[in-house]
Amino acid sequence: MLILECPCCGVKAEETELAPGGEAHLKRYGPGSSDEDFDNYMFARANPKGVHFERWRHAYGCGKWFLAARCTATLEVFGTYPAQTTEPPAELQAYIKSRRPEWEGYK
Amino acid sequence: MSTRLARGGRLIDRSKPITISFNGRRMPAFLGDTLASAVLANDQMMVGRSFKYHRPRGIMASGAEEPNALVGLGAGPRFEPNQRMTTTEAFDGAETASQNHWPSLEFDIGAINNKFSRFLPGGFYYKTFMWPRSFWKNVYEPFIRQSAGLGKVPTDRDADRYEQAYAYADVVVVGAGIAGLTAALGAARSGKRVIVLEMTPACGGRAVVDGFAIDGQPAEGWVAAAVDTLRGMDNVTLMTRTMATGLYDHGYLMAAQRIADHTPGDGRPKQRLWRIRTAEVITATGAIERPLSFAGNDIPGVMLAAAVRDYAVNYGISIGDRTVIVTNNDDAYRTALALLDAGLTVPAVIDARPTVTGALPQAVRDRGVRVLEGRGIAKVHGGKRVTGVEVCVQAGEGAMIEELGCDCVAMSGGWSPVVHLWSHCGGKLLWDEARAMFRPDANRPPLGADGRGMVRAVGAANGMLTPDEVLTDAHAAFGDGTAPQTNAPDEARMEPVWIMPQGAGPKLRAKMWLDPQNDVKVSDVQLAAREGYESVEHTKRYTTLGMATDQGKISNINGLAVLSDALHQQIPATGTTTFRPPYTPLTLGTIAAEARGEIFQPLRRTPIHEWHEAHGVEWEPVGLWRRPFCYKRAGETTHAAVNREVRNTRTNLGLLDASTLGKILVKGPDAGKFLDMLYTGVMSTLPVGKCRYGLMCNEQGFLSDDGVVVRLSEDSWLCHTTSGGADRIHGWMEDWLQCEWWDWKVYTANLTEQFAQIAVVGPNARKVLEKLGGMDVSKATLPFMTFAEGQLGGFNARVFRISFSGELSYEIAVPASEGRAFWEKLIEAGQEFGVMPYGTECLHILRAEKGFIMIGDETDGTVIPQDLNMAWAISKKKPDYLGKRGQERSFLASPDRWKLVGLETLDGSVLPEGAYAVAPGVNANGQRNVQGRVTSTYFSPTLNRGIAMGLVKHGPDRMGEVLDFPGDGGKVHQARIVDQVFYDKEGAKNDA
């Protein structure tokens, strides 16, 4: 039962208040894209053991989507941040690096 | 015989006698007894039968680790199977019954299995029930079902109520023995919010039984003072009778509190399940004594040494006059001293260690008791009760040196820390060679949200066994200054003894029980190892070791030591099986708590719900809503009611409560652009005042929802969704707005519950609205697919001229608070026009007669709009919409996809729901090929025949062809492919 702090309303939300939304920072491929790009967008997921960026919705709270950086192996939460970003904030990336020196970094 | 002593018993109140019954026999007891101590006071040593061999089983332990003493407790609506007698408090009038025997506990037919035990080795089930395959269903499964499962399932509805509660803490201390109390005092004095959980009704753990002094005062007094101090602190909550059952991610701890288990029917909830969030957990859960593996160690009367002394000290119980103690450690000598203090005799202490020199053994020797060094038990004599033991050399093969007559054998193989909570959430263990135990590895604790350790084990739970070690360890958790000191003597090292005697042959090993509940013996584990089950997890499942309701609390360590020995490897190389919550079984009542019966789920009611209820409604659940399926009149069948509603709506006037329909407001400068991405059609060009039908797809291109979109004003659209889809579609909109197009200026609001919506349907629809008056609803002013706002019969109304039935139809939205009044007004005004309410089944038939699709019938998540001949609803000009790229994939663009058609049986009957149309030949699996399936099928009262729609390969190109639909019982339904519109093809009725 995870606890994630919603960056929108500040509530430390229990997992039962949240709805998961899968991997974050996917780039949408629409009409005109190659089969490979569309296939990757639609179906291919990193599913790492370790640092993972993911989407959550504070479904039974403020209703807002947000993003979380989490270790899938230990469930350590490195941080949460607003959904309106194209990549994790620099300070968060630095913090993850300090906690997981072996992490290859974002992208 | 076991009996109550004249004196002693620190937990019982001799001034409060009670009576319980066991298998119908009435037994006097005292308040404070457990069911176990109550029956032991009445010489009821044997309390059950084992699972496989139906061997007699007696009480072995005094706490949660008890493997045998499970009973059915109570009767009728308060009956509960599998109650552990050692942890269940006795109360006046408690009715108990033993389990797993037939016809009686004393004489059990199933005990014949015992005679055949040679043929029922480990893995018996897997070896026997494999073949012949046909025997599984008719022979093996009924046999296993009959013999499996200890206890009976309750048949009545539970009379009690249960509740759940939430709590938050900085520190939760689990266990209120001296370790837990010491840690709790330290945490509390440092100002933390502390919750202390103790599973039993009283605090103190083992110390109060063992009776040493702490800081100069008797343990009992020290404990009482500590409890008083904690209870007096505002930042501490101490809960007894509360079992911490499991630890989960991020400091989520579950605890089951027994509130009225021992006072049934007093009006309080029976149990309360606590959901606790805590920054840190201190496990002070103590240790569990290990049995020793010698032949006949399962005979009633063979008990754990500490349990024998618990019964004497806590409950004033003598298990028997003569107790032989067998041990590999000093602690068991405390049992000898306690029994001697109670005036009982100890014929000898059999100690497997070659030399015994400790202070505790010396104290026993000083009281004239023989200590037999380097000895073991070769065999226990007795059937339903111990009568004696054969003493042998521990290092030998079991030749008898002498025989000792006794009524009780108190055994101790050392202690195993209770590491369950530590392990539930990923804490690792280390093998402590010196102490011969697995204990928490402080360097690899369970991790919290911040990635740091969230659990610390203290005291015996951390492997510290002597009182001073325990207190020093627990004090260090939070304390400064010096730890409390005891006067307990030092204890000499225990020596691991995994089987007794060490060189026992096969005959003896086949009588050494590891798991007495599931009947797993030393020989079974050794057999599993010989057969190649090298992983402890595999051996567990193959032999069922530790898989009984006690989850192997006393059996696992001996089992994996025997396995390690058989595999010639060290114990840590074998490892442990996985510790999973709950620590002890939770009753389903606490998990469900208040969520049962009417409040199992919230019920959504439309504003007109109560009217339906008062008018013969038959409900249909739609999500959390209840919608009228139909309204039955006196003596009417459901089928007749539905047909009446359809005919009346086609000829007169029908009213449908459409309030459950999703209503989502989409507003803002970019709302049009947004809706063009969301729907397959174009919504931005919809003129104000007009309605347009729209389809929504997911990114893969599959049809997800449909509904009518209304342009309310220049910057506002109202999107109708399906009843079940409202929340999902609103979430879908927000997902795209928040996460993809966050710079678009669009606002959405789910208004579903703000409005009541009523469909006024049928040839007389306009007449009734004109009678209400206030708005011009004529064909000229309010043509099809338009809407108007105004006052209708005095109600603020939004009138949509839309139809899902093919009839002249208006859907009218009024504020929810006025929904019931408006409905009643329509019913009243409609009397002269033949008004009748209709339900969802009528709605379905009306739409199917017109060939309209229904999300969830014609769609199943694999259907695209093009499959449903709805390309007309897809914009060809738009560069993009959600699902457009997905629909371009080759297999979705294939001409071979199944497409929607109408289906008409040759004989007029109704096609079975979901039936498949077969094609010639078989597929790779030898199954008949298929070429289509039924998606909607109804009896049409309008046409007086069955009608259906279905998806058929190349369907629209095959009009007139007849397909075979195999049904139940070998019957084949034949149906012709026809146009999907069965009724009023030219649309004259809608256009009236």
Side-chain angles (χ1 to χ4, degrees):
Chain A
M1 288 282 278
L2 307 180
I3 291 181
L4 298 174
E5 184 170 328
C6 173
C8 180
C9 67
V11 164
K12 283 187 176 176
E14 274 225 341
E15 199 172 325
T16 52
E17 293 170 47
L18 302 169
E23 190 176 325
H25 303 304
L26 297 178
K27 176 174 161 35
R28 179 172 183 260
Y29 284 90
S33 57
S34 69
D35 279 353
E36 194 188 349
D37 282 344
F38 183 72
D39 183 67
N40 281 337
Y41 156 57
M42 209 66 251
F43 305 112
R45 296 295 179 265
N47 193 28
K49 180 180 181 181
V51 178
H52 190 229
F53 299 93
E54 52 197 20
R55 288 155 27 90
W56 289 87
R57 187 183 182 211
H58 195 189
Y60 297 97
C62 68
K64 297 300 182 198
W65 283 94
F66 65 89
L67 306 181
R70 191 172 67 95
C71 175
T72 57
T74 66
L75 308 190
E76 176 174 354
V77 177
F78 303 113
T80 56
Y81 52 104
Q84 293 78 31
T85 54
T86 50
E87 63 175 52
E91 20 350 327
L92 178 61
Q93 293 194 42
Y95 177 68
I96 296 170
K97 195 76 191 161
S98 76
R99 296 289 302 164
R100 296 285 185 279
E102 73 285 3
W103 180 50
E104 290 168 355
Y106 177 73
K107 291 243 165 113
Chain B
M1 68 185 274
S2 69
T3 183
R4 183 88 67 185
L5 297 162
R7 283 174 289 107
R10 43 179 298 279
L11 294 181
I12 55 168
D13 184 347
R14 289 182 190 254
S15 70
K16 297 208 172 75
I18 58 171
T19 305
I20 70 154
S21 76
F22 178 82
N23 286 347
R25 190 180 142 209
R26 287 166 59 81
M27 297 182 171
F30 295 113
L31 207 63
D33 265 322
T34 61
L35 291 178
S37 67
V39 300
L40 285 171
N42 292 275
D43 194 30
Q44 187 69 44
M45 190 73 223
M46 180 173 146
V47 290
R49 293 270 178 174
S50 65
F51 183 63
K52 191 158 140 191
Y53 304 133
H54 293 247
R55 280 173 67 93
R57 286 287 176 259
I59 294 164
M60 279 186 77
S62 57
E65 68 275 27
E66 169 62 36
N68 295 328
L70 302 173
V71 288
L73 172 63
R78 288 214 161 81
F79 173 77
E80 275 191 289
N82 292 323
Q83 294 305 292
R84 191 161 271 110
M85 299 176 83
T86 50
T87 55
T88 307
E89 290 170 67
F91 54 88
D92 198 32
E95 294 173 47
T96 62
S98 53
Q99 306 184 147
N100 201 38
H101 49 70
W102 186 84
S104 74
L105 179 61
E106 292 300 315
F107 176 75
D108 180 4
I109 298 277
I112 191 88
N113 287 359
N114 190 29
K115 301 274 183 259
F116 294 108
S117 64
R118 208 151 58 80
F119 306 108
L120 298 169
F124 163 73
Y125 302 99
Y126 300 103
K127 286 166 182 159
T128 308
F129 298 125
M130 292 295 288
W131 41 259
R133 198 173 161 178
S134 62
F135 271 38
W136 178 252
K137 193 174 170 192
N138 298 318
V139 182
Y140 299 143
E141 194 181 347
F143 170 75
I144 293 172
R145 288 249 175 267
Q146 197 210 342
S147 50
L150 298 156
K152 294 192 185 78
V153 175
T155 51
D156 293 24
R157 196 183 161 81
D158 194 330
D160 284 303
R161 68 194 169 88
Y162 302 80
E163 55 182 40
Q164 295 187 354
Y166 293 82
Y168 302 87
D170 297 317
V171 180
V172 173
V173 178
V174 181
I178 55 171
L181 293 172
T182 301
L185 284 168
R189 283 174 181 143
S190 70
K192 292 176 186 292
R193 266 190 311 173
V194 180
I195 295 175
V196 185
L197 305 175
E198 167 54 42
M199 64 180 181
T200 69
C203 299
R206 294 229 53 81
V208 288
V209 174
D210 294 350
F212 45 82
I214 303 173
D215 285 347
Q217 66 173 317
E220 196 158 6
W222 186 91
V223 165
V227 169
D228 279 349
T229 305
L230 289 169
R231 286 210 192 276
M233 296 174 84
D234 290 338
N235 56 334
V236 179
T237 308
L238 193 157
M239 294 195 274
T240 56
R241 296 191 171 97
T242 306
M243 172 69 83
T245 61
L247 178 64
Y248 305 84
D249 308 330
H250 293 186
Y252 186 70
L253 186 79
M254 293 265 250
Q257 184 180 23
R258 292 177 286 119
I259 299 169
D261 271 7
H262 56 299
T263 55
D266 73 348
R268 293 183 298 170
K270 184 173 160 65
Q271 294 185 9
R272 182 181 295 137
L273 189 67
W274 287 93
R275 299 158 169 268
I276 304 170
R277 283 285 185 181
T278 179
E280 187 174 26
V281 176
I282 301 294
T283 62
T285 44
I288 288 175
E289 196 166 30
R290 297 173 191 168
L292 286 165
S293 302
F294 48 82
N297 63 350
D298 70 321
I299 295 170
V302 178
M303 297 175 68
L304 295 173
V308 172
R309 97 178 164 259
D310 284 345
Y311 286 113
V313 174
N314 282 338
Y315 305 101
I317 300 279
S318 156
I319 303 299
D321 291 353
R322 300 163 302 162
T323 298
V324 165
I325 290 163
V326 56
T327 182
N328 63 350
N329 61 74
D330 279 7
D331 181 67
Y333 287 83
R334 291 194 167 100
T335 299
L337 295 171
L339 295 177
L340 295 170
D341 288 345
L344 300 167
T345 63
V346 178
V349 178
I350 302 170
D351 199 318
R353 295 173 292 182
T355 50
V356 180
T357 54
L360 283 164
Q362 191 53 48
V364 172
R365 284 187 175 115
D366 291 346
R367 300 195 45 182
V369 174
R370 285 203 297 156
V371 174
L372 310 178
E373 294 173 325
R375 297 288 184 266
I377 290 179
K379 192 189 279 183
V380 179
H381 290 299
K384 291 173 186 171
R385 191 68 207 257
V386 171
T387 57
V389 295
E390 291 181 13
V391 180
C392 64
V393 178
Q394 167 60 17
E397 293 172 25
M400 185 174 80
I401 298 170
E402 64 175 305
E403 188 169 343
L404 297 170
C406 61
D407 322 292
C408 172
V409 177
M411 61 180 165
S412 177
W415 293 79
S416 297
V418 176
V419 296
H420 296 65
L421 281 179
W422 172 272
S423 304
H424 284 169
C425 210
K428 303 291 185 238
L429 304 176
L430 57 82
W431 175 253
D432 185 330
E433 188 67 37
R435 295 162 194 262
M437 61 166 70
F438 282 105
R439 62 184 184 87
D441 182 349
N443 294 318
R444 294 182 298 164
L447 303 179
D450 57 1
R452 290 164 177 95
M454 63 175 179
V455 182
R456 284 187 286 170
V458 299
N462 194 28
M464 306 296 132
L465 293 182
T466 66
D468 280 310
E469 269 184 346
V470 165
L471 288 169
T472 305
D473 189 47
H475 182 79
F478 296 101
D480 39 22
T482 53
Q485 305 291 312
T486 78
N487 66 347
D490 284 343
E491 292 176 35
R493 234 182 109 162
M494 67 87 93
E495 251 172 53
V497 171
W498 305 119
I499 67 170
M500 180 177 270
Q502 196 182 310
K507 215 172 157 189
L508 290 180
R509 294 203 305 263
K511 291 291 173 196
M512 294 177 184
W513 261 258
L514 292 168
D515 182 334
Q517 187 179 142
N518 263 0
D519 276 330
V520 181
K521 300 168 296 179
V522 167
S523 54
D524 296 319
V525 171
Q526 290 171 333
L527 176 69
R530 280 204 303 281
E531 293 185 351
Y533 289 87
E534 297 182 2
S535 151
V536 64
E537 296 283 5
H538 290 163
T539 298
K540 167 181 167 173
R541 282 150 185 86
Y542 191 59
T543 61
T544 73
L545 174 76
M547 286 170 67
T549 57
D550 61 328
Q551 291 283 289
K553 289 186 179 66
I554 63 166
S555 59
N556 278 354
I557 178 70
N558 289 350
L560 63 93
V562 168
L563 180 65
S564 302
D565 181 60
L567 296 172
H568 309 293
Q569 65 189 18
Q570 298 296 306
I571 287 173
T574 304
T576 67
T577 52
T578 309
F579 295 89
R580 291 196 176 85
Y583 178 63
T584 53
L586 272 175
T587 184
L588 289 173
T590 63
I591 298 168
E594 306 284 8
R596 65 182 210 180
E598 274 191 6
I599 55 172
F600 174 66
Q601 280 188 319
L603 179 66
R604 297 178 79 181
R605 299 159 194 264
T606 76
I608 312 166
H609 187 95
E610 280 73 23
W611 189 94
H612 303 318
E613 219 154 38
H615 290 81
V617 72
E618 192 172 307
W619 290 115
E620 178 186 27
V622 178
L624 297 176
W625 295 105
R626 291 289 177 279
R627 296 194 72 182
F629 181 82
C630 66
Y631 302 81
K632 287 203 282 199
R633 293 181 171 176
E636 205 174 32
T637 64
T638 300
H639 187 62
V642 169
N643 289 346
R644 170 178 54 73
E645 289 171 10
V646 171
R647 288 195 200 95
N648 187 69
T649 307
R650 288 270 183 241
T651 51
N652 295 312
L653 178 60
L655 294 184
L656 174 79
D657 181 359
S659 306
T660 60
L661 217 64
K663 309 167 200 75
I664 300 169
L665 179 72
V666 179
K667 191 178 172 72
D670 293 320
K673 178 164 97 169
F674 175 60
L675 292 179
D676 283 350
M677 282 302 292
L678 219 63
Y679 285 92
T680 59
V682 181
M683 294 301 168
S684 56
T685 58
L686 183 66
V688 173
K690 294 260 164 108
C691 310
R692 186 171 287 166
Y693 177 71
L695 303 175
M696 274 190 246
C697 296
N698 60 24
E699 271 285 68
Q700 296 187 49
F702 297 120
L703 187 51
S704 146
D705 208 74
D706 70 346
V708 171
V709 178
V710 182
R711 182 83 179 260
L712 293 176
S713 68
E714 197 47 46
D715 74 343
S716 305
W717 283 255
L718 181 66
C719 300
H720 287 112
T721 73
T722 57
S723 291
D727 295 324
R728 177 173 55 88
I729 296 300
H730 185 234
W732 174 245
M733 290 177 173
E734 284 297 318
D735 191 350
W736 288 99
L737 286 173
Q738 293 178 30
C739 302
E740 187 73 19
W741 304 310
W742 60 76
D743 53 337
W744 293 13
K745 296 190 175 72
V746 183
Y747 172 80
T748 71
N750 186 350
L751 304 181
T752 303
E753 294 184 346
Q754 310 302 311
F755 294 95
Q757 194 144 319
I758 298 168
V760 182
V761 183
N764 295 337
R766 188 174 290 132
K767 291 180 199 159
V768 72
L769 298 189
E770 284 170 344
K771 182 178 170 186
L772 291 185
M775 287 176 70
D776 183 353
V777 294
S778 66
K779 187 174 173 178
T781 310
L782 194 64
F784 186 51
M785 294 309 259
T786 63
F787 92 97
E789 284 179 339
Q791 285 260 324
L792 196 61
F795 291 86
N796 290 316
R798 217 177 246 162
V799 182
F800 309 102
R801 173 66 182 91
I802 55 182
S803 177
F804 194 42
S805 57
E807 294 299 323
L808 173 63
S809 160
Y810 300 82
E811 288 197 17
I812 302 163
V814 299
S817 59
E818 295 169 32
R820 170 89 187 256
F822 185 61
W823 174 273
E824 288 180 344
K825 183 115 182 169
L826 281 166
I827 292 281
E828 185 196 319
Q831 288 306 315
E832 62 175 295
F833 306 114
V835 70
M836 285 182 199
Y838 69 88
T840 50
E841 185 66 0
C842 173
L843 169 151
H844 273 271
I845 295 172
L846 294 174
R847 67 94 191 168
E849 287 175 345
K850 285 294 295 176
F852 296 149
I853 65 141
M854 176 68 79
I855 298 293
D857 284 339
E858 274 64 44
T859 70
D860 64 355
T862 68
V863 171
I864 56 174
Q866 292 87 335
D867 296 339
L868 304 177
N869 314 319
M870 298 180 94
W872 55 267
I874 299 174
S875 164
K876 313 271 182 307
K877 292 186 215 136
K878 287 197 301 187
D880 195 4
Y881 59 84
L882 296 180
K884 184 175 170 72
R885 176 64 185 86
Q887 288 165 359
E888 288 167 0
R889 288 178 294 169
S890 57
F891 70 100
L892 290 182
S894 162
D896 289 337
R897 287 185 65 80
W898 293 5
K899 296 208 169 197
L900 191 69
V901 290
L903 296 166
E904 224 174 50
T905 49
L906 300 189
D907 60 1
S909 64
V910 179
L911 275 174
E913 283 193 40
Y916 274 82
V918 289
V922 293
N923 67 16
N925 294 323
Q927 299 157 326
R928 300 181 73 174
N929 284 326
V930 290
Q931 55 180 333
R933 63 181 170 86
V934 174
T935 56
S936 289
T937 172
Y938 300 97
F939 175 75
S940 161
T942 314
L943 303 170
N944 199 32
R945 56 167 299 128
I947 60 166
M949 287 190 279
L951 290 161
V952 175
K953 189 174 180 183
H954 302 146
D957 302 331
R958 297 167 64 183
M959 288 295 156
E961 255 186 67
V962 174
L963 300 176
D964 284 352
F965 292 87
D968 287 339
K971 183 172 165 56
V972 176
H973 304 263
Q974 290 198 301
R976 181 175 288 119
I977 300 176
V978 296
D979 181 25
Q980 74 196 59
V981 184
F982 293 91
Y983 177 69
D984 188 23
K985 288 184 200 290
E986 53 288 350
K989 295 205 75 180
N990 177 33
D991 208 26

